[in-house]
Amino acid sequence: MAEACRFLKRQGPSALPIAGGTDLLNEIKEGIAKPEFILNLKRLPSLAQLREKDGALRIGAMVSLSQLAGYPILRRNFPILSEALSTLATPQIRAVGTVAGNLCQRPRCFYYRHPLLLCAKKGGRTCFALDGVNRYHAILQNEPCPMVHPSDLAPVLIALDAQVVLAGAKDKRLLPLEEFFLLPTQDITRETVLTPGEILIEVQVPKPKAGTRGTYLKFRERGTGDFAVVSAACSGRVLRGTVVEMRLVLGGVAPIPFRARKAEEMLLGQKPRKDLLAEAAQAVLSEATPLPGNRYKIRAAQTLMVRAMQAVLK
Ligand SMILES: Cc1cc2nc3c(=O)[nH]c(=O)nc-3n(C[C@H](O)[C@H](O)[C@H](O)COP(=O)(O)OP(=O)(O)OC[C@H]3O[C@@H](n4cnc5c(N)ncnc54)[C@H](O)[C@@H]3O)c2cc1C
Ligand code: SF4
């Protein structure tokens, strides 16, 4: 592992790690990524382990999405993950794509993916989406790059309070998945905190406390093989009629998975009344700055948040 990280660090941007290749190979074919070297993570068998330790789920970076979906305890202990995986891409992509690749995949913004356009994320001067077609773009935290993070796993894993282990040439670091993602205001060219030479090696998911419920709701245009237009992951616990724990995370609305903290704060310690759920969702969206083409996402996010909270806080 250390040798792999040293190699990546030495080569800098001219080398990229490859996992299942379902995203990276497309980027290379489209001329968006032009690595001189590709480091095949399949050669590191320790990254393919999937196990439980101290009640937590330890998911190696190279575990495929279908392998995770088929893990025996998943449906029982982490049903929200099962739900998300069943809506993610297609069986073919899930068989090849990996968990780390899903978290590290690059944006789906069609201007970014266009081989002839050099948008701000690719080092150019302009964001074509701000004045162009922005139907699928962000409504929150959307300056200067309104891309949305495409991963379905990310909001769910953040709702489950997952952590990631990153390995570098010299040491490892453990951080909450929520802190793994970078806003364009922090660095418009990157989506994660990974530094040159670092590899995401493991995702750790704590076992939810007894009585925790969770759900993942995904609004997409096509029934299968489609990214979320808007999604909501919610995990929470109600004790004697009062909300004692809740984490609500939105996908498809911001450049990073968006933690709906305002709603969480409004619900904690309260009875989950229907009017309060609607107010909490509205409070989250009061910060929205929709673009001309994506105002509809406000209503979609409001609806998904309320439905997700209703399902979890019964
Ligand atoms: C048709 C289609 C539909 C899709 N639909 C969905 C969907 O509905 N929901 C969804 O969430 N996703 C969807 N995806 C995206 C898909 O899930 C990802 O392409 C896949 O998970 C990426 O995993 P991979 O192993 O193939 O990554 P790769 O393509 O190998 O790598 C992706 C990126 O991550 C980097 N990388 C990979 N592993 C590591 C690591 N361990 N450490 C550091 N960097 C790493 C690579 O350098 C590369 O930049 C879809 C993709 C396609 C093609
Ligand atoms: S939204 Fe981001 S990725 Fe898309 S064109 Fe603008 S700068 Fe590029």
Side-chain angles (χ1 to χ4, degrees), residues 16-24 41 61 65 87-89 93 96-98 100-102 104-105 108 150-152 194 199-200 218 225-227:
L16 287 174
I18 190 163
T22 59
D23 185 31
L24 183 58
L41 297 178
L65 299 164
T87 72
L88 194 156
I93 302 275
V96 181
T98 62
N102 185 270
C104 299
Q105 62 178 301
R108 288 277 151 185
S151 167
D152 279 314
L194 284 169
I199 297 174
L200 194 169
K218 174 172 173 179
D226 208 2
F227 291 88

PDB file of all heavy atoms in Angstrom, residues 16-24 41 61 65 87-89 93 96-98 100-102 104-105 108 150-152 194 199-200 218 225-227, ligand 1:
ATOM      1  N   LEU A  16      -3.201   8.061 -11.925  1.00  0.00           N
ATOM      2  CA  LEU A  16      -4.490   7.972 -11.231  1.00  0.00           C
ATOM      3  C   LEU A  16      -4.742   6.528 -10.827  1.00  0.00           C
ATOM      4  O   LEU A  16      -4.418   5.602 -11.590  1.00  0.00           O
ATOM      5  CB  LEU A  16      -5.631   8.417 -12.157  1.00  0.00           C
ATOM      6  CG  LEU A  16      -5.767   9.911 -12.455  1.00  0.00           C
ATOM      7  CD1 LEU A  16      -6.855  10.133 -13.495  1.00  0.00           C
ATOM      8  CD2 LEU A  16      -6.091  10.694 -11.183  1.00  0.00           C
ATOM      9  N   PRO A  17      -5.368   6.325  -9.652  1.00  0.00           N
ATOM     10  CA  PRO A  17      -5.749   4.951  -9.309  1.00  0.00           C
ATOM     11  C   PRO A  17      -7.003   4.560 -10.081  1.00  0.00           C
ATOM     12  O   PRO A  17      -7.866   5.398 -10.330  1.00  0.00           O
ATOM     13  CB  PRO A  17      -6.038   5.036  -7.805  1.00  0.00           C
ATOM     14  CG  PRO A  17      -6.403   6.452  -7.544  1.00  0.00           C
ATOM     15  CD  PRO A  17      -5.708   7.284  -8.588  1.00  0.00           C
ATOM     16  N   ILE A  18      -7.081   3.302 -10.462  1.00  0.00           N
ATOM     17  CA  ILE A  18      -8.302   2.810 -11.107  1.00  0.00           C
ATOM     18  C   ILE A  18      -8.866   1.675 -10.257  1.00  0.00           C
ATOM     19  O   ILE A  18      -8.117   0.843  -9.743  1.00  0.00           O
ATOM     20  CB  ILE A  18      -8.044   2.356 -12.565  1.00  0.00           C
ATOM     21  CG1 ILE A  18      -9.381   2.088 -13.265  1.00  0.00           C
ATOM     22  CG2 ILE A  18      -7.149   1.129 -12.648  1.00  0.00           C
ATOM     23  CD1 ILE A  18      -9.275   2.029 -14.782  1.00  0.00           C
ATOM     24  N   ALA A  19     -10.200   1.685 -10.114  1.00  0.00           N
ATOM     25  CA  ALA A  19     -10.865   0.617  -9.355  1.00  0.00           C
ATOM     26  C   ALA A  19     -11.633  -0.231 -10.367  1.00  0.00           C
ATOM     27  O   ALA A  19     -11.035  -0.999 -11.116  1.00  0.00           O
ATOM     28  CB  ALA A  19     -11.753   1.242  -8.286  1.00  0.00           C
ATOM     29  N   GLY A  20     -12.959  -0.062 -10.467  1.00  0.00           N
ATOM     30  CA  GLY A  20     -13.728  -0.816 -11.465  1.00  0.00           C
ATOM     31  C   GLY A  20     -13.601  -0.210 -12.856  1.00  0.00           C
ATOM     32  O   GLY A  20     -13.856  -0.867 -13.863  1.00  0.00           O
ATOM     33  N   GLY A  21     -13.261   1.059 -12.925  1.00  0.00           N
ATOM     34  CA  GLY A  21     -13.063   1.731 -14.213  1.00  0.00           C
ATOM     35  C   GLY A  21     -14.339   2.224 -14.879  1.00  0.00           C
ATOM     36  O   GLY A  21     -14.291   2.770 -15.979  1.00  0.00           O
ATOM     37  N   THR A  22     -15.502   2.069 -14.221  1.00  0.00           N
ATOM     38  CA  THR A  22     -16.762   2.450 -14.886  1.00  0.00           C
ATOM     39  C   THR A  22     -16.870   3.960 -15.091  1.00  0.00           C
ATOM     40  O   THR A  22     -17.585   4.415 -15.974  1.00  0.00           O
ATOM     41  CB  THR A  22     -17.993   1.975 -14.079  1.00  0.00           C
ATOM     42  OG1 THR A  22     -17.935   2.551 -12.779  1.00  0.00           O
ATOM     43  CG2 THR A  22     -18.061   0.468 -13.984  1.00  0.00           C
ATOM     44  N   ASP A  23     -16.158   4.724 -14.289  1.00  0.00           N
ATOM     45  CA  ASP A  23     -16.147   6.176 -14.481  1.00  0.00           C
ATOM     46  C   ASP A  23     -14.841   6.619 -15.141  1.00  0.00           C
ATOM     47  O   ASP A  23     -14.842   7.312 -16.154  1.00  0.00           O
ATOM     48  CB  ASP A  23     -16.321   6.873 -13.122  1.00  0.00           C
ATOM     49  CG  ASP A  23     -16.436   8.381 -13.273  1.00  0.00           C
ATOM     50  OD1 ASP A  23     -16.953   8.826 -14.314  1.00  0.00           O
ATOM     51  OD2 ASP A  23     -16.002   9.112 -12.367  1.00  0.00           O
ATOM     52  N   LEU A  24     -13.730   6.162 -14.597  1.00  0.00           N
ATOM     53  CA  LEU A  24     -12.431   6.650 -15.085  1.00  0.00           C
ATOM     54  C   LEU A  24     -12.208   6.319 -16.566  1.00  0.00           C
ATOM     55  O   LEU A  24     -11.714   7.153 -17.330  1.00  0.00           O
ATOM     56  CB  LEU A  24     -11.298   6.070 -14.225  1.00  0.00           C
ATOM     57  CG  LEU A  24      -9.901   6.563 -14.600  1.00  0.00           C
ATOM     58  CD1 LEU A  24      -9.806   8.084 -14.525  1.00  0.00           C
ATOM     59  CD2 LEU A  24      -8.831   5.941 -13.718  1.00  0.00           C
ATOM     60  N   LEU A  41      -5.855  -0.793  -8.552  1.00  0.00           N
ATOM     61  CA  LEU A  41      -6.059  -1.110  -7.131  1.00  0.00           C
ATOM     62  C   LEU A  41      -6.453  -2.572  -6.915  1.00  0.00           C
ATOM     63  O   LEU A  41      -6.430  -3.058  -5.793  1.00  0.00           O
ATOM     64  CB  LEU A  41      -7.121  -0.183  -6.530  1.00  0.00           C
ATOM     65  CG  LEU A  41      -6.776   1.315  -6.528  1.00  0.00           C
ATOM     66  CD1 LEU A  41      -7.923   2.129  -5.947  1.00  0.00           C
ATOM     67  CD2 LEU A  41      -5.503   1.593  -5.733  1.00  0.00           C
ATOM     68  N   ALA A  61     -12.162  -0.593   0.098  1.00  0.00           N
ATOM     69  CA  ALA A  61     -12.378   0.300  -1.044  1.00  0.00           C
ATOM     70  C   ALA A  61     -12.806  -0.440  -2.301  1.00  0.00           C
ATOM     71  O   ALA A  61     -13.615   0.048  -3.084  1.00  0.00           O
ATOM     72  CB  ALA A  61     -11.080   1.062  -1.323  1.00  0.00           C
ATOM     73  N   LEU A  65     -20.143  -2.820  -5.640  1.00  0.00           N
ATOM     74  CA  LEU A  65     -21.460  -2.399  -5.149  1.00  0.00           C
ATOM     75  C   LEU A  65     -22.391  -3.610  -5.024  1.00  0.00           C
ATOM     76  O   LEU A  65     -23.179  -3.694  -4.080  1.00  0.00           O
ATOM     77  CB  LEU A  65     -22.038  -1.342  -6.100  1.00  0.00           C
ATOM     78  CG  LEU A  65     -21.177  -0.068  -6.199  1.00  0.00           C
ATOM     79  CD1 LEU A  65     -21.558   0.763  -7.411  1.00  0.00           C
ATOM     80  CD2 LEU A  65     -21.278   0.764  -4.925  1.00  0.00           C
ATOM     81  N   THR A  87     -31.263   1.085  -5.974  1.00  0.00           N
ATOM     82  CA  THR A  87     -31.646   2.132  -6.940  1.00  0.00           C
ATOM     83  C   THR A  87     -30.443   2.640  -7.728  1.00  0.00           C
ATOM     84  O   THR A  87     -30.570   3.526  -8.565  1.00  0.00           O
ATOM     85  CB  THR A  87     -32.247   3.365  -6.224  1.00  0.00           C
ATOM     86  OG1 THR A  87     -31.194   4.064  -5.531  1.00  0.00           O
ATOM     87  CG2 THR A  87     -33.338   2.990  -5.249  1.00  0.00           C
ATOM     88  N   LEU A  88     -29.264   2.141  -7.394  1.00  0.00           N
ATOM     89  CA  LEU A  88     -28.024   2.718  -7.932  1.00  0.00           C
ATOM     90  C   LEU A  88     -27.645   2.084  -9.278  1.00  0.00           C
ATOM     91  O   LEU A  88     -27.460   0.864  -9.361  1.00  0.00           O
ATOM     92  CB  LEU A  88     -26.921   2.499  -6.896  1.00  0.00           C
ATOM     93  CG  LEU A  88     -25.615   3.264  -7.020  1.00  0.00           C
ATOM     94  CD1 LEU A  88     -24.926   3.362  -5.665  1.00  0.00           C
ATOM     95  CD2 LEU A  88     -24.679   2.705  -8.040  1.00  0.00           C
ATOM     96  N   ALA A  89     -27.545   2.888 -10.301  1.00  0.00           N
ATOM     97  CA  ALA A  89     -27.064   2.445 -11.626  1.00  0.00           C
ATOM     98  C   ALA A  89     -27.808   1.207 -12.124  1.00  0.00           C
ATOM     99  O   ALA A  89     -29.026   1.107 -11.986  1.00  0.00           O
ATOM    100  CB  ALA A  89     -25.550   2.238 -11.583  1.00  0.00           C
ATOM    101  N   ILE A  93     -23.280  -2.240 -13.862  1.00  0.00           N
ATOM    102  CA  ILE A  93     -22.370  -1.248 -13.244  1.00  0.00           C
ATOM    103  C   ILE A  93     -22.091  -1.652 -11.793  1.00  0.00           C
ATOM    104  O   ILE A  93     -20.955  -1.555 -11.312  1.00  0.00           O
ATOM    105  CB  ILE A  93     -23.000   0.167 -13.260  1.00  0.00           C
ATOM    106  CG1 ILE A  93     -23.329   0.610 -14.680  1.00  0.00           C
ATOM    107  CG2 ILE A  93     -22.111   1.187 -12.535  1.00  0.00           C
ATOM    108  CD1 ILE A  93     -22.244   1.232 -15.456  1.00  0.00           C
ATOM    109  N   VAL A  96     -19.335  -4.209 -11.292  1.00  0.00           N
ATOM    110  CA  VAL A  96     -17.949  -3.799 -11.567  1.00  0.00           C
ATOM    111  C   VAL A  96     -17.530  -2.598 -10.710  1.00  0.00           C
ATOM    112  O   VAL A  96     -16.410  -2.529 -10.211  1.00  0.00           O
ATOM    113  CB  VAL A  96     -17.796  -3.447 -13.075  1.00  0.00           C
ATOM    114  CG1 VAL A  96     -16.374  -3.055 -13.395  1.00  0.00           C
ATOM    115  CG2 VAL A  96     -18.226  -4.618 -13.946  1.00  0.00           C
ATOM    116  N   GLY A  97     -18.443  -1.645 -10.543  1.00  0.00           N
ATOM    117  CA  GLY A  97     -18.128  -0.419  -9.796  1.00  0.00           C
ATOM    118  C   GLY A  97     -17.906  -0.724  -8.322  1.00  0.00           C
ATOM    119  O   GLY A  97     -18.529  -1.620  -7.753  1.00  0.00           O
ATOM    120  N   THR A  98     -17.015   0.031  -7.714  1.00  0.00           N
ATOM    121  CA  THR A  98     -16.660  -0.223  -6.317  1.00  0.00           C
ATOM    122  C   THR A  98     -17.203   0.883  -5.402  1.00  0.00           C
ATOM    123  O   THR A  98     -17.586   1.964  -5.864  1.00  0.00           O
ATOM    124  CB  THR A  98     -15.128  -0.260  -6.159  1.00  0.00           C
ATOM    125  OG1 THR A  98     -14.620   1.039  -6.524  1.00  0.00           O
ATOM    126  CG2 THR A  98     -14.491  -1.329  -7.023  1.00  0.00           C
ATOM    127  N   ALA A 100     -15.464   2.665  -3.132  1.00  0.00           N
ATOM    128  CA  ALA A 100     -14.604   3.863  -3.140  1.00  0.00           C
ATOM    129  C   ALA A 100     -14.750   4.616  -4.458  1.00  0.00           C
ATOM    130  O   ALA A 100     -14.782   5.852  -4.480  1.00  0.00           O
ATOM    131  CB  ALA A 100     -13.144   3.471  -2.913  1.00  0.00           C
ATOM    132  N   GLY A 101     -14.849   3.874  -5.562  1.00  0.00           N
ATOM    133  CA  GLY A 101     -15.022   4.528  -6.868  1.00  0.00           C
ATOM    134  C   GLY A 101     -16.303   5.341  -6.899  1.00  0.00           C
ATOM    135  O   GLY A 101     -16.354   6.423  -7.487  1.00  0.00           O
ATOM    136  N   ASN A 102     -17.340   4.834  -6.248  1.00  0.00           N
ATOM    137  CA  ASN A 102     -18.607   5.565  -6.212  1.00  0.00           C
ATOM    138  C   ASN A 102     -18.457   6.881  -5.443  1.00  0.00           C
ATOM    139  O   ASN A 102     -19.015   7.907  -5.832  1.00  0.00           O
ATOM    140  CB  ASN A 102     -19.698   4.693  -5.579  1.00  0.00           C
ATOM    141  CG  ASN A 102     -21.055   5.362  -5.639  1.00  0.00           C
ATOM    142  OD1 ASN A 102     -21.429   6.084  -4.725  1.00  0.00           O
ATOM    143  ND2 ASN A 102     -21.782   5.160  -6.731  1.00  0.00           N
ATOM    144  N   CYS A 104     -15.620   8.504  -5.055  1.00  0.00           N
ATOM    145  CA  CYS A 104     -14.601   9.359  -5.688  1.00  0.00           C
ATOM    146  C   CYS A 104     -14.940   9.694  -7.136  1.00  0.00           C
ATOM    147  O   CYS A 104     -14.137  10.319  -7.826  1.00  0.00           O
ATOM    148  CB  CYS A 104     -13.234   8.665  -5.662  1.00  0.00           C
ATOM    149  SG  CYS A 104     -12.621   8.327  -4.012  1.00  0.00           S
ATOM    150  N   GLN A 105     -16.105   9.263  -7.632  1.00  0.00           N
ATOM    151  CA  GLN A 105     -16.435   9.514  -9.041  1.00  0.00           C
ATOM    152  C   GLN A 105     -16.492  11.013  -9.315  1.00  0.00           C
ATOM    153  O   GLN A 105     -16.790  11.819  -8.439  1.00  0.00           O
ATOM    154  CB  GLN A 105     -17.754   8.846  -9.415  1.00  0.00           C
ATOM    155  CG  GLN A 105     -18.961   9.346  -8.635  1.00  0.00           C
ATOM    156  CD  GLN A 105     -20.263   8.681  -9.080  1.00  0.00           C
ATOM    157  OE1 GLN A 105     -20.637   8.770 -10.232  1.00  0.00           O
ATOM    158  NE2 GLN A 105     -20.943   8.025  -8.159  1.00  0.00           N
ATOM    159  N   ARG A 108     -21.001  14.719 -13.046  1.00  0.00           N
ATOM    160  CA  ARG A 108     -21.733  14.334 -14.255  1.00  0.00           C
ATOM    161  C   ARG A 108     -22.185  15.553 -15.049  1.00  0.00           C
ATOM    162  O   ARG A 108     -22.880  15.400 -16.048  1.00  0.00           O
ATOM    163  CB  ARG A 108     -22.958  13.505 -13.858  1.00  0.00           C
ATOM    164  CG  ARG A 108     -22.590  12.128 -13.376  1.00  0.00           C
ATOM    165  CD  ARG A 108     -22.385  11.194 -14.541  1.00  0.00           C
ATOM    166  NE  ARG A 108     -21.425  10.146 -14.217  1.00  0.00           N
ATOM    167  CZ  ARG A 108     -20.989   9.259 -15.099  1.00  0.00           C
ATOM    168  NH1 ARG A 108     -21.410   9.295 -16.335  1.00  0.00           N
ATOM    169  NH2 ARG A 108     -20.119   8.357 -14.743  1.00  0.00           N
ATOM    170  N   PRO A 150     -22.668  13.157  -7.660  1.00  0.00           N
ATOM    171  CA  PRO A 150     -23.564  12.141  -8.233  1.00  0.00           C
ATOM    172  C   PRO A 150     -23.789  10.885  -7.392  1.00  0.00           C
ATOM    173  O   PRO A 150     -24.632  10.067  -7.739  1.00  0.00           O
ATOM    174  CB  PRO A 150     -22.856  11.764  -9.542  1.00  0.00           C
ATOM    175  CG  PRO A 150     -21.427  12.140  -9.366  1.00  0.00           C
ATOM    176  CD  PRO A 150     -21.340  13.182  -8.298  1.00  0.00           C
ATOM    177  N   SER A 151     -23.060  10.717  -6.297  1.00  0.00           N
ATOM    178  CA  SER A 151     -23.117   9.428  -5.581  1.00  0.00           C
ATOM    179  C   SER A 151     -24.414   9.235  -4.797  1.00  0.00           C
ATOM    180  O   SER A 151     -24.833  10.103  -4.038  1.00  0.00           O
ATOM    181  CB  SER A 151     -21.931   9.349  -4.613  1.00  0.00           C
ATOM    182  OG  SER A 151     -22.108   8.285  -3.709  1.00  0.00           O
ATOM    183  N   ASP A 152     -25.024   8.053  -4.947  1.00  0.00           N
ATOM    184  CA  ASP A 152     -26.163   7.680  -4.095  1.00  0.00           C
ATOM    185  C   ASP A 152     -25.682   7.171  -2.739  1.00  0.00           C
ATOM    186  O   ASP A 152     -26.392   7.280  -1.745  1.00  0.00           O
ATOM    187  CB  ASP A 152     -26.970   6.541  -4.748  1.00  0.00           C
ATOM    188  CG  ASP A 152     -27.919   7.051  -5.814  1.00  0.00           C
ATOM    189  OD1 ASP A 152     -28.613   8.043  -5.569  1.00  0.00           O
ATOM    190  OD2 ASP A 152     -27.956   6.445  -6.902  1.00  0.00           O
ATOM    191  N   LEU A 194      -8.801  14.219  -0.758  1.00  0.00           N
ATOM    192  CA  LEU A 194      -7.658  13.356  -1.095  1.00  0.00           C
ATOM    193  C   LEU A 194      -6.515  14.206  -1.649  1.00  0.00           C
ATOM    194  O   LEU A 194      -6.723  15.005  -2.568  1.00  0.00           O
ATOM    195  CB  LEU A 194      -8.056  12.327  -2.154  1.00  0.00           C
ATOM    196  CG  LEU A 194      -8.905  11.128  -1.715  1.00  0.00           C
ATOM    197  CD1 LEU A 194      -9.415  10.366  -2.924  1.00  0.00           C
ATOM    198  CD2 LEU A 194      -8.118  10.213  -0.786  1.00  0.00           C
ATOM    199  N   ILE A 199      -4.966   7.308  -1.019  1.00  0.00           N
ATOM    200  CA  ILE A 199      -5.962   6.365  -1.534  1.00  0.00           C
ATOM    201  C   ILE A 199      -7.012   6.153  -0.450  1.00  0.00           C
ATOM    202  O   ILE A 199      -6.668   6.016   0.728  1.00  0.00           O
ATOM    203  CB  ILE A 199      -5.293   5.003  -1.873  1.00  0.00           C
ATOM    204  CG1 ILE A 199      -4.261   5.176  -2.992  1.00  0.00           C
ATOM    205  CG2 ILE A 199      -6.327   3.966  -2.288  1.00  0.00           C
ATOM    206  CD1 ILE A 199      -3.462   3.901  -3.279  1.00  0.00           C
ATOM    207  N   LEU A 200      -8.262   6.148  -0.851  1.00  0.00           N
ATOM    208  CA  LEU A 200      -9.326   5.805   0.101  1.00  0.00           C
ATOM    209  C   LEU A 200      -9.270   4.287   0.268  1.00  0.00           C
ATOM    210  O   LEU A 200      -9.402   3.558  -0.726  1.00  0.00           O
ATOM    211  CB  LEU A 200     -10.677   6.250  -0.467  1.00  0.00           C
ATOM    212  CG  LEU A 200     -11.889   6.302   0.455  1.00  0.00           C
ATOM    213  CD1 LEU A 200     -13.044   7.008  -0.233  1.00  0.00           C
ATOM    214  CD2 LEU A 200     -12.328   4.979   0.982  1.00  0.00           C
ATOM    215  N   LYS A 218     -35.277   8.468  -3.666  1.00  0.00           N
ATOM    216  CA  LYS A 218     -34.536   8.991  -4.821  1.00  0.00           C
ATOM    217  C   LYS A 218     -35.520   9.377  -5.918  1.00  0.00           C
ATOM    218  O   LYS A 218     -36.295   8.540  -6.373  1.00  0.00           O
ATOM    219  CB  LYS A 218     -33.577   7.894  -5.305  1.00  0.00           C
ATOM    220  CG  LYS A 218     -32.823   8.200  -6.583  1.00  0.00           C
ATOM    221  CD  LYS A 218     -31.765   7.124  -6.837  1.00  0.00           C
ATOM    222  CE  LYS A 218     -31.086   7.285  -8.178  1.00  0.00           C
ATOM    223  NZ  LYS A 218     -30.045   6.279  -8.421  1.00  0.00           N
ATOM    224  N   GLY A 225     -30.986   2.758 -13.912  1.00  0.00           N
ATOM    225  CA  GLY A 225     -29.725   3.235 -14.495  1.00  0.00           C
ATOM    226  C   GLY A 225     -29.612   4.741 -14.534  1.00  0.00           C
ATOM    227  O   GLY A 225     -28.912   5.279 -15.384  1.00  0.00           O
ATOM    228  N   ASP A 226     -30.289   5.422 -13.627  1.00  0.00           N
ATOM    229  CA  ASP A 226     -30.262   6.885 -13.680  1.00  0.00           C
ATOM    230  C   ASP A 226     -29.809   7.475 -12.343  1.00  0.00           C
ATOM    231  O   ASP A 226     -30.133   6.965 -11.275  1.00  0.00           O
ATOM    232  CB  ASP A 226     -31.663   7.402 -14.017  1.00  0.00           C
ATOM    233  CG  ASP A 226     -31.604   8.740 -14.738  1.00  0.00           C
ATOM    234  OD1 ASP A 226     -30.486   9.226 -14.990  1.00  0.00           O
ATOM    235  OD2 ASP A 226     -32.670   9.292 -15.032  1.00  0.00           O
ATOM    236  N   PHE A 227     -29.088   8.585 -12.463  1.00  0.00           N
ATOM    237  CA  PHE A 227     -28.621   9.290 -11.273  1.00  0.00           C
ATOM    238  C   PHE A 227     -29.800   9.994 -10.595  1.00  0.00           C
ATOM    239  O   PHE A 227     -30.821  10.262 -11.239  1.00  0.00           O
ATOM    240  CB  PHE A 227     -27.572  10.331 -11.672  1.00  0.00           C
ATOM    241  CG  PHE A 227     -26.296   9.713 -12.148  1.00  0.00           C
ATOM    242  CD1 PHE A 227     -26.118   9.384 -13.487  1.00  0.00           C
ATOM    243  CD2 PHE A 227     -25.276   9.432 -11.256  1.00  0.00           C
ATOM    244  CE1 PHE A 227     -24.946   8.798 -13.929  1.00  0.00           C
ATOM    245  CE2 PHE A 227     -24.096   8.849 -11.684  1.00  0.00           C
ATOM    246  CZ  PHE A 227     -23.933   8.531 -13.025  1.00  0.00           C
TER     247      PHE A 227
HETATM  248  C1  LIG B   1     -24.692   4.325 -16.854  1.00  0.00           C
HETATM  249  C2  LIG B   1     -24.264   4.687 -15.463  1.00  0.00           C
HETATM  250  C3  LIG B   1     -25.236   4.901 -14.495  1.00  0.00           C
HETATM  251  C4  LIG B   1     -24.852   5.247 -13.199  1.00  0.00           C
HETATM  252  N1  LIG B   1     -25.816   5.478 -12.251  1.00  0.00           N
HETATM  253  C5  LIG B   1     -25.445   5.792 -10.986  1.00  0.00           C
HETATM  254  C6  LIG B   1     -26.424   6.007  -9.981  1.00  0.00           C
HETATM  255  O1  LIG B   1     -27.633   5.909 -10.200  1.00  0.00           O
HETATM  256  N2  LIG B   1     -25.985   6.325  -8.734  1.00  0.00           N
HETATM  257  C7  LIG B   1     -24.656   6.431  -8.425  1.00  0.00           C
HETATM  258  O2  LIG B   1     -24.321   6.700  -7.274  1.00  0.00           O
HETATM  259  N3  LIG B   1     -23.718   6.236  -9.365  1.00  0.00           N
HETATM  260  C8  LIG B   1     -24.080   5.906 -10.617  1.00  0.00           C
HETATM  261  N4  LIG B   1     -23.125   5.692 -11.572  1.00  0.00           N
HETATM  262  C9  LIG B   1     -21.720   5.877 -11.216  1.00  0.00           C
HETATM  263  C10 LIG B   1     -21.097   4.564 -10.792  1.00  0.00           C
HETATM  264  O3  LIG B   1     -21.653   4.165  -9.570  1.00  0.00           O
HETATM  265  C11 LIG B   1     -19.606   4.820 -10.668  1.00  0.00           C
HETATM  266  O4  LIG B   1     -19.111   4.944 -12.000  1.00  0.00           O
HETATM  267  C12 LIG B   1     -18.871   3.709  -9.972  1.00  0.00           C
HETATM  268  O5  LIG B   1     -19.335   3.502  -8.666  1.00  0.00           O
HETATM  269  C13 LIG B   1     -17.390   4.080  -9.914  1.00  0.00           C
HETATM  270  O6  LIG B   1     -16.692   3.012  -9.327  1.00  0.00           O
HETATM  271  P1  LIG B   1     -15.442   2.378 -10.071  1.00  0.00           P
HETATM  272  O7  LIG B   1     -14.893   1.367  -9.143  1.00  0.00           O
HETATM  273  O8  LIG B   1     -15.802   1.904 -11.434  1.00  0.00           O
HETATM  274  O9  LIG B   1     -14.516   3.659 -10.129  1.00  0.00           O
HETATM  275  P2  LIG B   1     -13.395   4.058 -11.212  1.00  0.00           P
HETATM  276  O10 LIG B   1     -14.051   4.425 -12.489  1.00  0.00           O
HETATM  277  O11 LIG B   1     -12.314   3.056 -11.260  1.00  0.00           O
HETATM  278  O12 LIG B   1     -12.839   5.371 -10.489  1.00  0.00           O
HETATM  279  C14 LIG B   1     -13.626   6.524 -10.343  1.00  0.00           C
HETATM  280  C15 LIG B   1     -12.763   7.658  -9.786  1.00  0.00           C
HETATM  281  O13 LIG B   1     -12.405   7.386  -8.447  1.00  0.00           O
HETATM  282  C16 LIG B   1     -10.990   7.310  -8.287  1.00  0.00           C
HETATM  283  N5  LIG B   1     -10.785   6.212  -7.339  1.00  0.00           N
HETATM  284  C17 LIG B   1     -11.285   4.961  -7.441  1.00  0.00           C
HETATM  285  N6  LIG B   1     -10.986   4.252  -6.345  1.00  0.00           N
HETATM  286  C18 LIG B   1     -10.272   5.070  -5.534  1.00  0.00           C
HETATM  287  C19 LIG B   1      -9.685   4.910  -4.240  1.00  0.00           C
HETATM  288  N7  LIG B   1      -9.776   3.765  -3.563  1.00  0.00           N
HETATM  289  N8  LIG B   1      -9.030   5.966  -3.692  1.00  0.00           N
HETATM  290  C20 LIG B   1      -8.928   7.145  -4.367  1.00  0.00           C
HETATM  291  N9  LIG B   1      -9.476   7.356  -5.591  1.00  0.00           N
HETATM  292  C21 LIG B   1     -10.146   6.326  -6.165  1.00  0.00           C
HETATM  293  C22 LIG B   1     -10.435   7.071  -9.683  1.00  0.00           C
HETATM  294  O14 LIG B   1      -9.120   7.593  -9.832  1.00  0.00           O
HETATM  295  C23 LIG B   1     -11.452   7.821 -10.531  1.00  0.00           C
HETATM  296  O15 LIG B   1     -11.154   9.201 -10.573  1.00  0.00           O
HETATM  297  C24 LIG B   1     -23.471   5.347 -12.868  1.00  0.00           C
HETATM  298  C25 LIG B   1     -22.495   5.122 -13.844  1.00  0.00           C
HETATM  299  C26 LIG B   1     -22.876   4.794 -15.134  1.00  0.00           C
HETATM  300  C27 LIG B   1     -21.807   4.563 -16.158  1.00  0.00           C
END
